[in-house]
Amino acid sequence: MKTMITDYGLQKSAKGTHALILVHADEWAAWYDAAEPFAKNWITAQAFSGQAGTVLAMPADDGSIDTAIGVFGKHDIWDGACLAKALPQGGWHIDPNRGTMLNAMAYEMLVLGWALSQYSFDRFKNGDSGKGETTSKRLVIPDGVNVDRLLGLIEGVWFCRDLINTPANHMTPQGLEDSATDLAKKFGAAITVISGNELQTTFPAINTVGRAAEIAPRLIDLTWGDVGPRITLVGKGITFDSGGLDLKPSKAMEMMKKDMGGSATVLGLAMAIMAAELPVRLRVLVAAAENA
């Protein structure tokens, strides 16, 4: 689990960063007409049309990058991801005075898209059990953004993706339990695990699905919070589904490790809820089993 915002391509200080001018696609024509002659000439020379999700770097007098223009449209998260991919390397801060004015939630969604685009799964790359090096492309979190909520959403989605991408020989029912236990420890949640004879007696269907596997099935029960409405999230945690083995083509079988995507989703959502400290009484139930 990440703890540094730089791991997500974000930073808090604008010192030494370039300005990013955000313009809504619907306002592009008017913005272009009002631009200074140098900017208009450069935009025309680059044949930049102002489509949502595109970027144009603006040069300084010495040929270095001065600023950049980023165009967004109706889909803030996706446009934020596209801008992250299109911008040159380096640090960037959004200049609210030279582009389209946005509210805090729109900024938050753009930054969320930026951060989600930085994800990569390289846990097993070169034997390294951690993530790759911190990205050299970073965005300053704008003022007014709820940082706890933003980082909770980012961490939750990255956590969900990591769980799903982990191979089935590692993300076993025990692996799901370990991940849920780590999550509970991080946020002070309570966790209980039902397995063995108790599972067979109280949840026989879960036991029946996973009893033939090498790693025994279990029910993971995580609770957090003591005020607010009760919310229960239930996730399917079939870490590998061998059902239809004689019917499914090999490519379909390769993806059966994703049959625990429901459990990954509810655990990732739980992380986002707890990180944002929402006033709810949360319960997460994960039926973890390998269908053997």
Side-chain angles (χ1 to χ4, degrees), residues 1-23:
M1 300 178 192
K2 293 298 184 183
T3 56
M4 301 290 291
I5 65 172
T6 51
D7 293 326
Y8 305 115
L10 304 175
Q11 65 183 59
K12 292 183 178 180
S13 173
K15 183 178 180 180
T17 60
H18 300 289
L20 172 60
I21 302 169
L22 291 178
V23 182

Side-chain angles (χ1 to χ4, degrees), residues 4-290:
M4 301 290 291
I5 65 172
T6 51
D7 293 326
Y8 305 115
L10 304 175
Q11 65 183 59
K12 292 183 178 180
S13 173
K15 183 178 180 180
T17 60
H18 300 289
L20 172 60
I21 302 169
L22 291 178
V23 182
H24 195 282
D26 292 343
E27 300 178 7
W28 170 251
W31 189 92
Y32 170 80
D33 289 340
E36 296 291 332
F38 175 83
K40 293 179 71 171
N41 291 337
W42 181 255
I43 292 168
T44 301
Q46 301 302 313
F48 186 70
S49 59
Q51 297 297 310
T54 60
V55 165
L56 178 65
M58 302 293 293
D61 292 339
D62 61 0
S64 63
I65 294 176
D66 180 26
T67 61
I69 303 168
V71 184
F72 66 100
K74 299 178 180 179
H75 307 290
D76 294 338
I77 295 178
W78 305 115
D79 291 336
C82 291
L83 295 177
K85 294 295 185 183
L87 277 168
Q89 298 294 325
W92 297 90
H93 70 272
I94 298 173
D95 185 342
N97 300 316
R98 290 191 282 172
T100 302
M101 294 295 295
L102 298 174
N103 58 38
M105 181 56 69
Y107 280 132
E108 188 172 328
M109 292 301 99
L110 281 166
V111 176
L112 175 61
W114 173 291
L116 295 184
S117 74
Q118 308 300 311
Y119 176 84
S120 65
F121 183 73
D122 51 11
R123 174 180 171 185
F124 301 100
K125 184 177 180 181
N126 296 329
D128 185 3
S129 61
K131 290 293 181 185
E133 295 181 359
T134 301
T135 178
S136 58
K137 192 182 296 185
R138 302 173 308 283
L139 180 67
V140 177
I141 300 176
D143 293 337
V145 168
N146 186 325
V147 176
D148 288 338
R149 180 173 60 198
L150 171 66
L151 294 181
L153 287 169
I154 296 168
E155 277 198 294
V157 174
W158 278 45
F159 181 47
C160 173
R161 290 173 174 177
D162 280 348
L163 293 176
I164 294 173
N165 285 326
T166 301
N169 60 323
H170 288 267
M171 192 49 62
T172 63
Q174 182 63 58
L176 267 179
E177 178 186 331
D178 293 342
S179 297
T181 300
D182 290 342
L183 181 63
K185 289 180 179 178
K186 179 173 182 178
F187 293 100
I191 188 168
T192 58
V193 178
I194 300 173
S195 59
N197 292 333
E198 185 181 3
L199 184 72
Q200 183 175 357
T201 301
T202 55
F203 297 95
I206 300 173
N207 182 71
T208 299
V209 171
R211 64 188 175 185
E214 180 180 0
I215 307 297
R218 63 209 66 198
L219 177 70
I220 302 165
D221 188 347
L222 181 150
T223 56
W224 174 87
D226 53 11
V227 296
R230 297 182 184 274
I231 295 178
T232 301
L233 307 175
V234 183
K236 177 184 178 183
I238 304 301
T239 58
F240 192 85
D241 182 13
S242 63
L245 182 62
D246 56 342
L247 300 175
K248 297 172 184 174
S250 59
K251 287 297 180 183
M253 290 306 299
E254 289 175 2
M255 291 296 101
M256 285 302 99
K257 73 183 183 72
K258 293 187 176 182
D259 216 32
M260 44 66 69
S263 62
T265 299
V266 297
L267 289 171
L269 178 54
M271 173 180 275
I273 290 172
M274 293 186 291
E277 299 183 347
L278 298 184
V280 298
R281 287 176 285 179
L282 176 67
R283 187 180 188 186
V284 180
L285 297 171
V286 171
E290 179 186 345

